Amino acid sequence: MTALSVDIRVDFPGFALEVVHGFEGQGLTALFGPSGCGKSTLLRVIAGFETSARGRLAYGDEVWLNGRRGLAPHRRGVGYVFQDTRLFPHLSVRGNLDYADKRAADLPARYGFDDVVNALDLGPLFGRGATTLSGGERQRVAMGRALLSRPRLLLMDEPLAALDTRRKGEILPYIARLPGVFGVPVIYVTHAIEEVTQLADRIVALEAGRVVAAGGVAETLERLDLAGVQGRFEAGAVLAGHVVAQDVDMHLTRVDLGGGLALEVPEIRLPVGEAVRLRVRARDVALALARPAGVSIRNMLEAEVLRVEVEAETAYAEVLLALGGQHLRARVTRAALRDLEVVPGQKLVAMIKAAAFDRQALPRG
C-alpha cells in the first residue's frame, strides 16, 4: 500500500536530487546509501523543510507539494527525529515530552502519553535535564517527543550515527518496535548496513541523488550491481533463520536457516524459536569444491552458483550463491575463480568463520 507518493527534484551547485518513488504506509523503510547521496535532503523535502524542492508530494489524497507550492511542515503531521536530537536544553525530560504532548492534545492517536513513556522506558529519566543525558538516553527522549506529536509518519535522520556500538545496541530494539507498537510508518535514513539488516522491512537505495534500487532487505542487499551503494568492504547478503540452540559453555548460538542448513555464530541473547536476520559480508565467505577436514571454520554450507561477476580491472570477482531458498554472496579473487573453475550451476561449499559475525553483524536481544 503506497501512502507517500514522491516525484520531486532539488538542485544544488554540482548536485541534483531527483526521486520518483512510492513509500509504503506501514513498517520501517530504510533510506540507504553513501554519504552525500541525498538521503537527508529527501527527508527534509518530505518534512517540508527544503523550500527549494519542486514537483509533487502527496500523502494519500493530501497534496503536500505541488510545483513549488508546499504545505507548511506543521500541517503535514510528520514526526522528525534528528541525529543531534534537538531537545530543549532548558527543559527536563518530562518538560520536553509534555511540550509535544500538549501541542498535539487535539489530534487523534491510538496511544497516549503513558504508552510512549512505558514503551521507551522514559519514566526514570523524567527529572533529568536534557543536557545531563547520555547519547542513547537523548535519542530515546527524542523518539518519545516525536511520537507524542501524534504523527502520521515518522522520519528518522541517522539517529544512531553519533553513538558507539554499545549504545547503538541499546537503542536498536526500541526503534525496531516503533511501527508495530504505535502503528506509525517510519522512514529511516542510514548508511550503516547493520542497522538496515536489523531494523528494515524494505530498502530504498540512493546513489548520486537517484533511487537505484528498492525492495525487500535480502533481495536488495544481495544484488551484485549495488557496489557503489554498499561499498565493496561491507557488501554482502542477509540470511533469515530461527534460534534453535544455545551453547552456554562456548557462548555460541545455532541458527536454523531452513532446508537442513544451519549456522553457528557467537552468542545471540535471544530465546530458542526467536526469528533473526544475519548479515554475512561477501568478503567473509570462502569457497571450496568439497568440505575440507581439520579446519577451524565452523560453518560449511552446501551451495549452488547462480551468477558470477568478474571485476576486470581488479583482482576480484563476486559470486552469488543459492542456499536452499536464500542467497549468499562471496567475494573472491579472480585467480581463485579460475582455479576452482567456478561457473553457474556448479555445486560448492560456502565456508563462513563463526568469528566473522562480529557485534555489528549480529542482532541484539
Side-chain angles (χ1 to χ4, degrees):
M1 176 183 67
T2 298
L4 179 67
S5 177
V6 177
D7 185 353
I8 61 90
R9 182 180 175 95
V10 186
D11 290 297
F12 300 99
F15 177 80
L17 175 68
E18 190 168 6
V19 172
V20 179
H21 186 72
F23 289 87
E24 293 194 26
Q26 59 186 0
L28 189 148
T29 300
L31 195 55
F32 175 71
S35 296
C37 69
K39 305 184 299 296
S40 294
T41 300
L42 179 55
L43 225 60
R44 287 175 53 81
V45 172
I46 295 170
F49 300 153
E50 188 57 63
T51 57
S52 62
R54 65 182 189 272
R56 181 177 171 83
L57 184 67
Y59 190 85
D61 295 329
E62 186 175 295
V63 178
W64 289 357
L65 177 68
N66 188 12
R68 292 187 178 275
R69 297 186 62 182
L71 190 68
H74 70 275
R75 296 180 59 192
R76 299 189 184 197
V78 171
Y80 206 113
V81 179
F82 298 89
Q83 180 179 328
D84 59 2
T85 71
R86 304 195 186 182
L87 299 178
F88 299 126
H90 62 290
L91 295 179
S92 66
V93 168
R94 178 67 191 246
N96 271 275
L97 299 176
D98 281 342
Y99 175 85
D101 190 42
K102 290 175 181 176
R103 285 175 60 90
D106 296 332
L107 297 177
R110 287 178 283 180
Y111 54 87
F113 184 89
D114 290 342
D115 297 317
V116 173
V117 170
N118 293 334
L120 297 174
D121 296 326
L122 298 176
L125 305 178
F126 271 5
R128 301 262 303 274
T131 59
T132 71
L133 303 174
S134 70
E137 290 168 340
R138 285 196 299 271
Q139 284 298 349
R140 279 161 51 203
V141 176
M143 286 189 283
R145 189 177 66 176
L147 287 167
L148 287 170
S149 70
R150 308 307 196 276
R152 293 180 288 176
L153 173 66
L154 183 61
L155 307 178
M156 305 186 74
D157 191 2
E158 300 203 69
L160 306 184
L163 303 183
D164 59 27
T165 299
R166 184 171 70 86
R167 296 296 185 194
K168 285 184 180 182
E170 295 172 356
I171 300 299
L172 280 168
Y174 291 104
I175 298 174
R177 292 195 293 265
L178 293 180
V181 171
F182 297 105
V184 179
V186 178
I187 300 178
Y188 183 96
V189 165
T190 184
H191 63 268
I193 296 177
E194 65 273 11
E195 294 174 27
V196 173
T197 302
Q198 295 180 44
L199 296 174
D201 298 298
R202 64 198 70 84
I203 301 175
V204 176
L206 286 183
E207 186 175 14
R210 305 292 189 275
V211 174
V212 293
V217 175
E219 56 262 39
T220 303
L221 291 184
E222 74 191 22
R223 285 178 49 174
L224 302 184
D225 60 339
L226 296 180
V229 176
Q230 294 193 57
R232 295 294 187 191
F233 190 76
E234 290 296 329
V238 175
L239 298 176
H242 291 81
V243 175
V244 291
Q246 299 282 9
D247 186 333
V248 178
D249 291 335
M250 294 291 104
H251 295 281
L252 294 171
T253 297
R254 187 170 181 82
V255 176
D256 179 30
L257 303 177
L261 301 174
L263 284 173
E264 195 173 79
V265 302
E267 183 180 25
I268 303 173
R269 294 179 181 176
L270 292 173
V272 169
E274 191 80 9
V276 295
R277 288 192 292 191
L278 300 173
R279 179 168 65 95
V280 185
R281 288 170 292 231
R283 61 185 172 90
D284 291 330
V285 179
L287 302 176
L289 296 175
R291 185 181 295 262
V295 296
S296 65
I297 297 176
R298 305 293 298 175
N299 300 299
M300 301 184 191
L301 306 172
E302 303 295 328
E304 179 181 345
V305 177
L306 294 177
R307 181 180 167 192
V308 178
E309 188 170 289
V310 175
E311 299 172 14
E313 303 304 317
T314 76
Y316 302 104
E318 294 269 347
V319 182
L320 183 64
L321 304 158
L323 295 176
Q326 304 194 66
H327 294 161
L328 188 66
R329 289 175 61 172
R331 184 166 175 80
V332 300
T333 64
R334 292 165 56 200
L337 205 68
R338 177 200 62 202
D339 294 347
L340 298 179
E341 299 180 342
V342 175
V343 294
Q346 183 180 9
K347 298 293 197 299
L348 292 172
V349 177
M351 302 183 296
I352 312 165
K353 294 173 61 176
F357 295 91
D358 59 27
R359 290 180 64 190
Q360 293 191 19
L362 290 172
R364 278 81 167 175

